[in-house]
Amino acid sequence: MTFMQRFSKYLVGLVIGVMLSFMLFSNRSCTKWLPGNQVRKTLTENPIQGNALTNCLMDCYGLNDSIMREIASSGEINFKESLVRTKPLKYMVEGQHNGNSYKAMFEVGDTLSTVIALNQLNDNKSCNCN
């Protein structure tokens, strides 16, 4: 048997194996272990609420705790702006709701995730919150 015959035999086996793997495992998520997904899970497994300032901002932007949960569960985690070497952990999340982009800092506690900073990125809406 020549090298090319052996090579083509292995190549056919590889292609069949990849196709079978794709058919068997295509409906499973293989990304649950990635850091961003783990942070989203951590943020949303406890209730989410704002502090005095962010509650005012949420009212101004037309957001509530359940929308903030949606942003936390579907937004992108910005690890460069997150504070992961502090206690409690603080994660910056960038997400969208109703066509508006938001940037929110979440503080992760044992029983609660708190929104401690909030900005609406694509609108210069002025909120009178202190």
Side-chain angles (χ1 to χ4, degrees), residues 85-96:
R85 297 199 190 323
T86 63
K87 291 291 180 186
L89 298 171
K90 296 177 178 113
Y91 293 103
M92 183 64 76
V93 180
E94 298 174 9
Q96 294 189 350

Side-chain angles (χ1 to χ4, degrees), residues 7 20 27 31 39 49 51 53 58-59 64 68 71 81 84 102 114 124:
F7 179 73
L20 282 172
N27 61 347
T31 60
V39 169
Q49 73 175 24
N51 59 23
L53 173 63
M58 285 191 284
D59 287 341
N64 57 35
M68 293 309 296
I71 290 171
E81 293 184 34
V84 295
Y102 298 96
T114 305
N124 293 330

Side-chain angles (χ1 to χ4, degrees), residues 65-85:
D65 294 344
S66 64
I67 294 171
M68 293 309 296
R69 175 179 297 284
E70 176 186 318
I71 290 171
S73 68
S74 64
E76 290 296 317
I77 310 301
N78 184 333
F79 286 103
K80 288 184 180 181
E81 293 184 34
S82 297
L83 302 172
V84 295
R85 297 199 190 323

Side-chain angles (χ1 to χ4, degrees), residues 108-128:
V108 180
D110 292 334
T111 59
L112 187 67
S113 295
T114 305
V115 183
I116 59 171
L118 178 64
N119 285 326
Q120 187 173 2
L121 300 177
N122 59 337
D123 191 5
N124 293 330
K125 188 174 191 175
S126 177
C127 296
N128 191 16

